[in-house]
Amino acid sequence: MSASPDTFFRATGPAMPVLARLSCLIVQPVLNRVVRRIARQHPSLFARLGPHQGTDFVIDPVELPFALHLRPDPQALLFRAVPRDAAPEAGATIRGKFMLLLELIDSEEDGDAAFFSRDLEVTGDTEAVVRLRNALDDVDGSIAEETAEMFGPAGRAILARLRRAYPT
Amino acid sequence: MSLAELICPAGTPAALRTAVDAGADAVYCGFQDATNARNFPGLNFTPDELAASVVYAHERGAKVLLALNTYPPAGKVDLWRQAADTGARLGVDAFIVADMGVADYIARSHPGSRLHLSVQAAASSPEAIRYYCENFGVKRVVLPRILTIPEIREIRKEIPCEIETFIFGNHGLMVEGRCSLTNYLTGQSTNMDGVCSPASDVEYKRHEDGSMSSQLAGFTIDCFGSDEKAGYPTICKGRYTASHRPEGYYAFEEPISLNLSRLLPDLIDAGVHAFKIEGRQRSKSYVRGVVSTFRQAVDDIRAGRAANIADLVALTEGQKQTQGAFETKKWR
């Protein structure tokens, strides 16, 4: 019987550092494509970020073996997977379950409500987080679905499977 | 029966489109500056965005109300005048104002424009409301959230303008337009800069035991246990310790949201013309959920059906809701 995505992502123990680094290597090419496409499709995002285009955001999906490092500088976009023990010093950190973070990006969930319920945790520069949230919220459509579309039927299937694995 | 218009928040153009598509009769919004009371980072509209948004709303039969509901500091009125001129040029359907000088400027410079009196003016008596109507031609007052429904009914009989009341969202009962708590700690004014608890001064700290403290300008204003729901980092909703209350207590108000879904028929019967949903700082998800819920409720009531209203508590501050003073002055 193969491991479910859930058990895979929650793997812990001595193998974790290796798993984290391996996972980062696997997802990095995808992240590069995703962030470039989003920047191309939604250039107005950057204006709402204002002075925080150079801020280092660490987005921490708690069940995944790695975190995500975003620096939304339109001149030098950076979006990479990093093992937690190698994450950069963050200007702001956003922490929550993977599917919640995905739904916040797509405005399928409300960030304030997730904060009130304590499902979402924010530390560091609060203004940076507010700007990022407002910038993403002004995007029409679903960034998750746009991303899935980039990879055709396989991408759509993975997104559907993720949504089944992480019901909200 | 009054029209019971649904007045909905929009912090971004996408939120405005979401509100219109979800059934808003009117959407209220502001520019990216101190002229409105939600001057938050990354929020609000450029003039070009507002122009496109007005077209979008009007094509779908919805109105756009421009919030110019802060108070210009002495000698700095040009920003508010320019915002009013821009709004008039773009064809907004009304201006929501609090300051008499701003109201006077719009009444004189754009005499065809419709003026709504913001809740920030804190006009809660017939005499105060009539003053704004008689001197500036105000057509609607947004009432402070301190009145019972019988009081609203009595006020309605004595004023020559429409009434708008909040029905959902933030439940801030400080004397609106007069609160200086943020100014006291941060140097920025809710009423003149449009910022209540500016994000640049807010910091959340996570502790090893799972608790989280919220700080404003270095002052701890609450610490939520690992299982506790959280609220906004506003001083008025803070929980403080004192020598006589070492366990901590809410000195002003609790983190809680207004939800008048069950009182809508009574409000309509009392003569309320428009229902306002708070939350320009909230997401499209909030706007979609709350606006569509109240759209259905108002339509049901207009059609003589009992309104079946979805549970919105997950969207409320602290995940708690109240009918506040609308139900009773003893609500606390």
Side-chain angles (χ1 to χ4, degrees), chain B residues 33-40 70-73 76 80 182-183 186-196:
Chain B
D33 57 35
T35 58
N36 74 95
R38 287 285 184 269
N39 180 22
F40 294 174
T70 42
Y71 291 85
K76 296 183 179 176
W80 280 257
T182 281
N183 201 348
T186 71
Q188 294 193 70
S189 166
T190 303
N191 310 315
M192 292 186 285
D193 298 310
V195 284
C196 174

Side-chain angles (χ1 to χ4, degrees), chain B residues 217-249:
Chain B
F219 293 89
T220 300
I221 57 178
D222 210 334
C223 184
F224 302 98
S226 57
D227 296 328
E228 267 191 303
K229 306 302 181 192
Y232 281 123
T234 55
I235 305 168
C236 62
K237 307 278 180 81
R239 187 166 41 176
Y240 306 96
T241 56
S243 56
H244 66 296
R245 300 287 294 271
E247 74 283 8
Y249 74 115

Side-chain angles (χ1 to χ4, degrees), chain B residues 94-95 97 103-104 106-107 113-117 136-140:
Chain B
F95 296 95
V97 299
D104 183 67
I106 296 172
S113 296
R114 184 178 165 93
L115 285 179
H116 292 184
L117 189 63
F136 311 113
V138 162
K139 295 286 190 284
R140 177 182 295 176

Side-chain angles (χ1 to χ4, degrees), chain A residues 48 95 107-110 112-113 115-118 121-124 126-127 130-131 133-134 136-140, chain B residues 12-14 17 41-42 44 49 200 202 204 206 210 224-225 228-230 232 281-285 314 316:
Chain A
R48 289 190 183 273
R95 185 176 292 113
S107 283
E108 290 297 320
E109 286 285 333
D110 178 68
D112 289 16
F115 173 79
F116 297 149
S117 68
R118 307 288 299 278
E121 194 176 286
V122 169
T123 51
T126 309
E127 177 174 323
V130 171
R131 280 191 176 275
R133 191 275 303 269
N134 289 332
L136 290 170
D137 205 60
D138 195 34
V139 171
D140 282 320
Chain B
T12 62
R17 294 189 290 272
N44 292 323
E49 288 171 343
S200 56
V202 172
Y204 300 108
R206 182 192 193 203
F224 302 98
E228 267 191 303
K229 306 302 181 192
Y232 281 123
Q281 76 283 10
R282 302 291 290 263
S283 67
K284 293 199 301 280
S285 169
T316 57

Side-chain angles (χ1 to χ4, degrees), chain B residues 109-299:
Chain B
S109 304
H110 306 287
S113 296
R114 184 178 165 93
L115 285 179
H116 292 184
L117 189 63
S118 170
V119 70
Q120 287 290 97
S124 56
S125 70
E127 293 80 5
I129 296 165
R130 279 200 303 268
Y131 180 85
Y132 288 96
C133 296
E134 290 165 5
N135 287 281
F136 311 113
V138 162
K139 295 286 190 284
R140 177 182 295 176
V141 58
V142 185
L143 289 178
R145 287 157 273 201
I146 57 168
L147 299 164
T148 63
I149 292 178
E151 286 174 331
I152 293 171
R153 188 189 305 278
E154 290 306 307
I155 287 174
R156 175 71 193 96
K157 293 175 187 167
E158 297 184 48
I159 60 172
C161 71
E162 299 169 354
I163 286 178
E164 181 173 310
T165 58
F166 282 92
I167 56 167
F168 190 85
N170 181 40
H171 191 236
L173 297 187
M174 311 305 290
V175 179
E176 284 157 307
R178 309 290 185 272
C179 176
S180 294
L181 291 174
T182 281
N183 201 348
Y184 181 67
L185 284 196
T186 71
Q188 294 193 70
S189 166
T190 303
N191 310 315
M192 292 186 285
D193 298 310
V195 284
C196 174
S197 290
S200 56
D201 286 292
V202 172
E203 188 173 2
Y204 300 108
K205 288 191 173 166
R206 182 192 193 203
H207 305 292
E208 296 225 335
D209 62 358
S211 63
M212 175 190 71
S213 58
S214 54
Q215 296 190 335
L216 183 66
F219 293 89
T220 300
I221 57 178
D222 210 334
C223 184
F224 302 98
S226 57
D227 296 328
E228 267 191 303
K229 306 302 181 192
Y232 281 123
T234 55
I235 305 168
C236 62
K237 307 278 180 81
R239 187 166 41 176
Y240 306 96
T241 56
S243 56
H244 66 296
R245 300 287 294 271
E247 74 283 8
Y249 74 115
Y250 294 107
F252 304 98
E253 303 173 34
E254 294 180 30
I256 197 166
S257 290
L258 186 72
N259 185 353
L260 301 187
S261 54
R262 287 190 290 176
L263 297 180
L264 299 182
D266 298 330
L267 290 164
I268 292 171
D269 188 60
V272 172
H273 290 80
F275 295 141
K276 185 164 216 155
I277 295 167
E278 186 273 346
R280 283 195 283 139
Q281 76 283 10
R282 302 291 290 263
S283 67
K284 293 199 301 280
S285 169
Y286 168 95
V287 169
R288 188 185 308 117
V290 178
V291 174
S292 58
T293 295
F294 280 103
R295 174 76 279 152
Q296 183 65 50
V298 168
D299 288 348

